Amino acid sequence: MRRDMPYALGGLALGGLLLANAAIAPDAAPVRPVDVALVLATAAALAVCRRYPVVALAVVTATMLALHVRVHAGVSAAFPVLATVYVAAWRGHRAVSALASVVFLGGFLARDISVAPAGRPGQQIVERSALLLGWFFAANVAGLVARQRRAYLEQVEQRAIEAERTREEMALRRAGEERLRIARDLHDSLTHSISVIKVQAGIAVHLARKQGEEPSDVLLAIQEASGAAMRELRATLAVLRAPSDSDGVGLARLGELAERTRAAGVPVDVTVTGQPRDLPEEVDQAGYRVVQEALTNVARHAGPATAQIHVAYDPAQLTVSVTDDGQASSVRPVTPGVGLRGMRERVTGLGGALHAAARDGGGFAVRATFPLDGAA
């Protein structure tokens, strides 16, 4: 209805112009109720000409010819027809627009000739007819040009959409190729080294037991950690080679991670508050990876220390924190390494926030907050 409003207002304006011209024209006949009805029908047809251009053009042509015959409204009777001819040509009805132009011009000229006084020169009729002919020709051409311009703009928009889709497909293909390259590099570099560590640790454990000795806790921890590293590396390589990003890790496996860390010599306490629930897959994986990286940093840099893992489920967010009482000090600033930068990128990429700093009383704290209300 809003798009039809300009047409309706235009129809009322042209109707008022027709009635005013008929009232002041010296050679016009008196305006009767039938003539007012013809003007109102013209205004109504103009109001719907955008939706029904052919019907509106037929109605306007017939009513304006009837008004010209009855009242002799003059050139102003052609204005509504010109407007409707333009709209019909713009909507693609070229033959109908040309036919309506010819019909109206023929009827207009026949009416002028039939009522022309005997002493009136024919030059005036010819000049007025030529003027109307030029107007109708311009209206048809303008409608065709507007239609071609709209088709051109639609084609340009479609090409832009297609180009954007092609760029997205190209980016996805390049990302897939990069994932495969990274998978090959990881397989060639890390898999062999970790396999050697696992095999050597297994041999050492086997020899110790064969000699009647109990393997040391450190050796068993190396064997367990190397096995877990091999499993996670295989899962990571499978993720890189597959279109899905799921690697099967999440906060549900937090207990396994804590057990491996304890086996490596770092006591770990796990606390869960709130009601555990299903999390978005990206958030679940990111929370696990944050805890894993934080525990790795504790084992590497904290020295003799105890780690505490706290997972808090809230309605709007998930909070994961890892603290320790190791050797870190708040006096000396911590230089972010690859692990901290990776954690921050993973958390902020999901709309969350990461805080990693030394504690005032000694030790280090890592706290990640993930929104669960759709911000990710």
Side-chain angles (χ1 to χ4, degrees), residues 6 30 41 79 103 115 137 152 156 174 184 187 231 242 295 300 376:
F79 294 161
V103 170
V115 299
F137 180 79
Y152 171 74
V156 170
R174 289 178 179 175
R184 288 193 297 267
H187 181 272
R231 290 191 296 271
L295 292 178
R300 288 179 180 176

Side-chain angles (χ1 to χ4, degrees), residues 76-100:
S76 61
F79 294 161
V81 185
L82 286 169
T84 318
V85 163
Y86 168 80
V87 174
W90 171 53
R91 298 298 299 274
H93 305 285
R94 294 178 294 178
V96 176
S97 301
L99 178 62

Side-chain angles (χ1 to χ4, degrees), residues 54-99:
V54 176
V55 176
L57 181 57
V59 173
V60 171
T61 302
T63 54
M64 288 299 97
L65 277 178
L67 183 68
H68 183 62
V69 170
R70 288 178 53 82
V71 183
H72 196 226
V75 178
S76 61
F79 294 161
V81 185
L82 286 169
T84 318
V85 163
Y86 168 80
V87 174
W90 171 53
R91 298 298 299 274
H93 305 285
R94 294 178 294 178
V96 176
S97 301
L99 178 62

